[in-house]
Amino acid sequence: RQGEAPEPFVQDATSRRHLVGVGAAVAVGGEAVAEVGVSSKGKATNVVLKVVDGIKQKRLGGSDIVVSELGLGTQRWCSTDFNAPNENLCHALMDRAILGSGVNLVDTAEQYPIPSSDERQEGLTEEVIG
């Protein structure tokens, strides 16, 4: 069923925003290669705190911020690419990743989507995300 959006888990963008939180973080996915250590604040680093649907969540450095090892990339959402996901599919992708798999790291920027056009201007991706 190419081009059709899967059934979303929820219709409420507020639920996604609550689970993702406010702010930005940079993380590198994949398996951890560093040894477990202790930050200057005395908190364990590189420790898996939770696993949701197979996706590990770890503390960001020595902070209290917990991020998923995998992030959701949004650069081409609603772009002029011939195979870019439309708004409904983007919402379904967020529902699956955030609500279904515990992803709380969403990569976005004010210039997305790339490529853009007069009809699909920069900033549209952030509007779709909510």
Side-chain angles (χ1 to χ4, degrees), residues 104-126:
N104 64 358
L105 181 68
V106 178
D107 170 26
T108 187
E110 68 278 356
Q111 76 227 33
Y112 291 176
I114 296 174
S116 58
S117 69
D118 288 339
E119 295 83 37
R120 296 171 182 241
Q121 296 183 356
E122 291 180 356
L124 177 61
T125 300
E126 288 184 325

Side-chain angles (χ1 to χ4, degrees), residues 4 8 14 25 33 35-36 43-44 60 64 74-77 80 89 92 98 101-102 104 109 116-117 125 129:
E4 291 182 31
T14 304
V33 293
E35 293 182 20
V36 174
K43 297 179 182 174
L60 183 62
D64 290 328
T74 65
Q75 181 179 17
R76 301 210 181 275
W77 284 16
T80 57
L89 182 54
I98 297 166
S101 297
N104 64 358
S116 58
S117 69
T125 300
I129 292 170

Side-chain angles (χ1 to χ4, degrees), residues 6-17 88 91-92 94-95 99:
E7 281 296 315
F9 288 97
V10 297
Q11 298 290 331
D12 184 4
T14 304
S15 299
R16 287 188 294 270
R17 282 194 300 272
N88 288 336
H91 288 163
M94 284 190 291
D95 289 345
L99 300 175

